[in-house]
Amino acid sequence: MGQPTHDHALCIRSALDRAERTCRRAGKTLTPVRRRVLELLWAGHAPVTAYDVLHALHAEGWGSSPPVAYRALAFLVELGLVHRVEHLNAYVGCALAEAAPEAQLFVCSCCGDATEVANPVLHEGLHAAAESIGFTIAHPIIEVTGICRRCREAGHC
């Protein structure tokens, strides 16, 4: 969650370093537009819509064609560098890209920040439940909405 002294520049640098390593291992290229989309997503911790990404890219001269943003977002999701927050139709950087392919996202309905957690017990329980009914999980990200500690303690929402 964002803190008053939180350094988003460090988040961006870390995300870009992870992305470079991930792309290298996958034999893919982190193109300038893909890099910029990742920077835009990591500028904060709240999910960002594809429209907002497209608008920012257009404002910066990257083009106004929606496929520019959508292709970059699809690439980043495919490599596990970004999560699509289904219920918001938005995207957020994946903080645990190298450590956890499956995540739980906790999205504050007050400030909008998204916190990613990898709980192995929940992960194993989910897969055990799926196996017990013969279900194959394709998209195992769990999204939880509520109020974050910071907003609750501040009396917001």
Side-chain angles (χ1 to χ4, degrees):
M1 298 292 246
Q3 300 295 325
T5 59
H6 183 76
D7 182 3
H8 284 297
L10 179 59
C11 289
I12 293 169
R13 282 192 307 276
S14 296
L16 292 173
D17 288 346
R18 264 192 317 274
E20 290 288 353
R21 286 192 305 274
T22 301
C23 286
R24 221 177 1 264
R25 280 194 305 267
K28 307 277 184 179
T29 302
L30 188 64
T31 64
V33 73
R34 292 169 178 168
R35 180 181 189 82
R36 183 61 188 135
V37 168
L38 198 55
E39 289 171 340
L40 291 168
L41 293 176
W42 276 101
H45 291 285
V48 178
T49 67
Y51 177 79
D52 290 335
V53 170
L54 177 63
H55 182 73
L57 290 176
H58 176 67
E60 296 174 6
W62 290 94
S64 61
S65 175
V68 171
Y70 294 127
R71 279 194 300 262
L73 287 166
F75 173 86
L76 295 169
V77 168
E78 178 186 329
L79 285 185
L81 298 167
V82 168
H83 293 298
R84 183 167 187 269
V85 183
E86 300 287 338
H87 81 278
L88 295 176
N89 196 23
Y91 299 84
V92 65
C94 176
L96 305 173
E98 293 171 328
E102 300 183 7
Q104 299 88 50
L105 293 175
F106 292 82
V107 182
C108 180
S109 55
C110 184
C111 69
D113 275 3
T115 301
E116 182 180 12
V117 176
N119 182 322
V121 174
L122 184 57
H123 169 76
E124 290 168 14
L126 182 64
H127 281 275
E131 186 176 317
S132 75
I133 61 171
F135 189 83
T136 301
I137 296 175
H139 187 71
I141 296 173
I142 297 170
E143 300 172 18
V144 181
T145 58
I147 307 296
C148 71
R149 177 184 306 157
R150 190 176 37 136
C151 287
R152 189 181 63 249
E153 288 175 356
H156 295 144
C157 299

